Structure formats: C-alpha cells, structure tokens
Amino acid sequence: TACLFLAGKVEETPKKIRDVVECSYAVRFERSLEYNSPEYQQYKKHVLRMERVLLQTVGFSFHVEHPYQHLLHAIKAFDGDTDTAQMAWNFVNDSLRSNLCLFVKPRLIAFASIFLACKVGNKELKQPVAVTDGVETPQMWWEYLKVEHSMLVGAWVVSGWCLSRGVSAAVEWRKERRLSLLRAPRQCFLLSLLFSLLHFVCPK
C-alpha cells in the first residue's frame, strides 16, 4: 500500500491517502473500512510510516534505468526488423512481472530479450566485424557488446524460475512437453518459451 501511495507521487499522479487506504483495505480484507474510524487511523499511520521507511531505503533516489533504451539501440545498430523488436519489447514487459530486475542489470535484460526473440522468431541480427591489429573478425552481436552467451540464457532462465509456481511443475512440463502454448496463461506461456530455449541451447 505504501509503495502504491509513493509511486503515485513519483509518477506525478498522486492519490489521496484516504482513497489508497480504503481501496487497499477492501482488497486485502474484502470489506469496507469506515472513514475516520480508529482502525482507519491506525492503518493510515502505518502506511505513512512505511512510506518514510521506503524513502530512507532508496535514499530518496527515484532514477530508474529501464531496458527499453538498450533494446532499441541494439536493434537499430544490428539492423533488427520490426517484428523482432516488438517481440523483444514484449519479453521485457513480461520480465516486469517477475523480480528479474533485482538480480539482472537492465542492459542484460534488454539483450537477453533480443536473443530470445531471435530464437523464437528464427531470425538473426547482423554480424558486426571487430578489427584487431588490422584483421577483421566477424562476431556475434552479443560478443561485440561484450556479453557472454551463457549470461543471455541465464537471465531468462532466472526469469522463468521467478514466474513459475514451483520447480516440480516446470520440470514436469519439460519431461512431458504437452503444454498448449496458445491456451496456457501468460506466465505459463513465457515459462514454456524459456524452457524451450534452454532445451535448444543446452540439449541433452
């Protein structure tokens, strides 16, 4: 509740503390909260106290770097098409449903999303050429950006675990491979893509 209240201020869409408290309470406890009741006052004070804790925790710094700028720059630099860019953009959006951003830098999330989009769409980006001592050597685009292949795969595997409901369910899916991608929920759809990629990159 405190995060929502603070986020509204940061994004210049502030909401009244009364509205935030009443809505949060109704969702959490499935009953209304009477305005100015002792319970309301206690809940309100707790939200305001937690808001101060959040501000101190982040050091009053709200500059957040997102993967989108890195994604667009790489797509443009390596002549990626619109479909690849859109699919990678969607994967970045999906990553926000997990806590991947807490473990992986935005730059790597962007490049991992492009990598996954290329694999799913069966496409390749332009190979850049590195010049060393006058010798031209073609490289994969992620090598040119000084990113290891394993890091690209690992970023989305981590995201898959974050979105999965349990390890056993994910392992069961990989064994049976009977999941219908079109009928699966959004989280299961992303998870199935991640494990398909893992099987493709790291076959038995």
Side-chain angles (χ1 to χ4, degrees):
T1 304
C3 290
L4 290 173
F5 182 57
L6 182 57
K9 296 180 180 179
V10 174
E11 295 298 326
E12 298 183 1
T13 56
K15 304 299 179 184
K16 293 181 179 180
I17 183 66
R18 174 181 176 177
D19 295 337
V20 174
V21 168
E22 290 181 347
C23 183
S24 172
Y25 190 91
V27 171
R28 183 177 180 183
F29 298 105
E30 297 183 352
R31 58 188 176 90
S32 60
L33 180 63
E34 185 178 350
Y35 178 63
N36 271 340
S37 64
E39 192 175 6
Y40 169 85
Q41 294 297 337
Q42 183 179 2
Y43 203 93
K44 174 183 175 181
K45 289 180 180 178
H46 182 66
V47 171
L48 294 176
R49 183 167 59 251
M50 293 308 300
E51 181 189 26
R52 291 194 294 270
V53 172
L54 286 169
L55 289 169
Q56 293 173 358
T57 302
V58 301
F60 293 86
S61 175
F62 295 99
H63 173 70
V64 180
E65 181 183 0
H66 293 287
Y68 302 106
Q69 182 177 359
H70 300 287
L71 187 153
L72 295 176
H73 178 75
I75 288 290
K76 183 177 180 180
F78 302 115
D79 295 339
D81 58 25
T82 304
D83 292 339
T84 301
Q86 183 61 61
M87 186 176 294
W89 189 283
N90 292 340
F91 285 142
V92 170
N93 289 340
D94 287 339
S95 75
L96 298 177
R97 298 166 63 91
S98 73
N99 56 359
L100 184 66
C101 61
L102 301 178
F103 305 102
V104 182
K105 293 183 178 181
R107 179 173 178 269
L108 182 56
I109 294 177
F111 298 157
S113 299
I114 296 173
F115 176 79
L116 184 59
C118 288
K119 292 300 180 184
V120 173
N122 195 25
K123 297 179 181 180
E124 295 290 344
L125 298 185
K126 181 183 70 175
Q127 283 190 327
V129 177
V131 179
T132 306
D133 297 330
V135 179
E136 295 185 351
T137 306
Q139 292 181 321
M140 299 303 293
W141 61 270
W142 61 81
E143 295 174 337
Y144 187 82
L145 295 172
K146 302 186 185 303
V147 177
E148 295 182 7
H149 179 269
S150 59
M151 294 176 66
L152 296 175
V153 179
W156 276 107
V157 171
V158 170
S159 180
W161 290 120
C162 293
L163 290 173
S164 67
R165 295 182 177 179
V167 175
S168 58
V171 172
E172 249 344 277
W173 176 86
R174 192 180 179 196
K175 289 180 179 178
E176 298 182 7
R177 299 181 189 175
R178 297 174 183 173
L179 182 62
S180 173
L181 299 184
L182 296 179
R183 296 179 181 178
R186 187 175 181 84
Q187 290 187 358
C188 293
F189 174 69
L190 175 59
L191 182 60
S192 62
L193 288 177
L194 298 175
F195 275 87
S196 296
L197 176 61
L198 180 61
H199 178 74
F200 175 81
V201 176
C202 307
K204 295 182 179 179

